[in-house]
Amino acid sequence: MYEYVKKSEYAPIRKELEQIIKRTQIEMRKNYGLTFQFHLIGSGKRHLVTRIKGGNNGYDFDYNLILSPPRNGYRYDAKILKQNFMIALKTALQGTKYSFPKDSTSSITIKVIDKEKKKIRYRCDFAIIYYGSNGSNNGYYYLRNNKEQQSYQFVFRSLSSDIDEKVHDIIEDDGWSYIEEEYLLLKNINEGNRIHSFSLYAEAVNNVYNQMYLH
């Protein structure tokens, strides 16, 4: 069964992670002349941080590391860019309790492990993205490590644009607690974690919106 993590517990970890990101920004600018912004996404942004009661995987944060769109006639070299971020992040993590960054399929992952209890306390995934020329309305490109083909590339991912509007309406009518309740319910019936958290969140919002306004 899932439970919510108290803000008093996860807020200092968020602050710590953002200090690491800022050190990574310095390394990327100094060594590669590249700048980026960052944005907390997922459950952390929505204050819906969860973990399994008594489980071994802790809770997690997700950040987008946002590049400027490529200039006309220029393309990012996805493989070199990923390598540069890995190097910069390793430097930024020096002196911390975080593990070495792992090159995951759609992100870079770091985690803190309780070695005595042999469990993950918390982790963070960093996705490297850029928005297209039309801004963030339609979607964005994320850096993907295609492990089967042993290649790196930027892949387009569309956005569900009406979710934020529905959340705004629900909050206006004091319905945020319904979203919290529905999201936790969906997490607990998500057998094998087969559905990603962001999809469960969208489903929770839609369910609550339909119950409040379409019945």
Side-chain angles (χ1 to χ4, degrees), residues 2 184-192 194-195 200 203:
Y2 280 89
L184 198 62
L185 173 66
L186 293 175
K187 290 279 286 188
N188 283 321
I189 63 175
N190 181 30
E191 295 182 5
R194 55 189 177 83
I195 302 175
L200 293 175
E203 184 179 350

Side-chain angles (χ1 to χ4, degrees), residues 17 20 57 59-63 65 82 85-86 89-90 93 96-113 120 122-128 143 145 147:
L17 287 166
I20 290 170
N57 288 323
Y59 58 93
D60 63 287
F61 287 92
D62 297 277
Y63 281 89
L65 309 184
K82 190 67 168 287
F85 266 99
M86 293 285 288
L89 191 51
K90 282 182 182 178
L93 289 171
T96 73
K97 52 187 176 294
Y98 288 86
S99 62
F100 271 2
K102 178 184 176 183
D103 186 356
S104 303
T105 300
S106 58
S107 63
I108 300 174
T109 302
I110 62 174
K111 60 187 71 173
V112 171
I113 300 173
I120 299 171
Y122 42 86
R123 54 177 277 171
C124 185
D125 292 319
F126 303 106
I128 301 167
L143 203 166
N145 176 4
K147 296 184 178 182

Side-chain angles (χ1 to χ4, degrees), residues 3-196:
E3 64 179 356
Y4 282 115
V5 181
K6 292 181 179 178
K7 185 177 180 180
S8 59
E9 179 179 348
Y10 71 75
I13 307 306
R14 173 181 174 178
K15 182 178 180 181
E16 183 180 72
L17 287 166
E18 293 186 359
Q19 290 173 341
I20 290 170
I21 296 173
K22 289 174 183 177
R23 292 199 293 270
T24 304
Q25 285 179 315
I26 293 171
E27 290 297 315
M28 290 296 292
R29 184 171 59 249
K30 179 177 66 175
N31 295 321
Y32 309 110
L34 189 143
T35 60
F36 67 90
Q37 298 176 323
F38 63 91
H39 185 60
L40 178 64
I41 62 171
S43 57
K45 173 188 174 183
R46 305 175 188 110
H47 308 292
L48 299 174
V49 180
T50 61
R51 64 183 166 206
I52 297 176
K53 290 183 179 180
N56 294 323
N57 288 323
Y59 58 93
D60 63 287
F61 287 92
D62 297 277
Y63 281 89
N64 280 342
L65 309 184
I66 308 165
L67 306 170
S68 299
R71 299 184 298 273
N72 290 338
Y74 175 80
R75 284 186 177 183
Y76 287 116
D77 186 317
K79 182 176 181 179
I80 291 177
L81 189 62
K82 190 67 168 287
Q83 290 172 344
N84 292 346
F85 266 99
M86 293 285 288
I87 293 170
L89 191 51
K90 282 182 182 178
T91 301
L93 289 171
Q94 288 179 0
T96 73
K97 52 187 176 294
Y98 288 86
S99 62
F100 271 2
K102 178 184 176 183
D103 186 356
S104 303
T105 300
S106 58
S107 63
I108 300 174
T109 302
I110 62 174
K111 60 187 71 173
V112 171
I113 300 173
D114 186 329
K115 294 181 179 178
E116 286 188 8
K117 297 182 179 179
K118 297 181 180 179
K119 68 177 185 178
I120 299 171
R121 292 177 58 197
Y122 42 86
R123 54 177 277 171
C124 185
D125 292 319
F126 303 106
I128 301 167
I129 76 164
Y130 68 85
Y131 293 106
S133 56
N134 294 326
S136 61
N137 291 331
N138 297 323
Y140 58 89
Y141 295 85
Y142 73 97
L143 203 166
R144 177 179 174 83
N145 176 4
N146 189 326
K147 296 184 178 182
E148 290 184 1
Q149 299 180 8
Q150 297 184 337
S151 65
Y152 293 82
Q153 59 191 142
F154 277 96
V155 179
F156 184 75
R157 175 178 286 167
S158 61
L159 293 173
S160 179
S161 59
D162 63 339
I163 292 297
D164 287 342
E165 294 176 10
K166 290 180 178 179
V167 170
H168 178 269
D169 291 343
I170 292 168
I171 291 175
E172 285 284 301
D173 288 330
D174 297 321
W176 178 251
S177 62
Y178 300 135
I179 294 178
E180 291 181 318
E181 182 179 347
E182 182 72 9
Y183 178 69
L184 198 62
L185 173 66
L186 293 175
K187 290 279 286 188
N188 283 321
I189 63 175
N190 181 30
E191 295 182 5
N193 294 323
R194 55 189 177 83
I195 302 175
H196 291 296

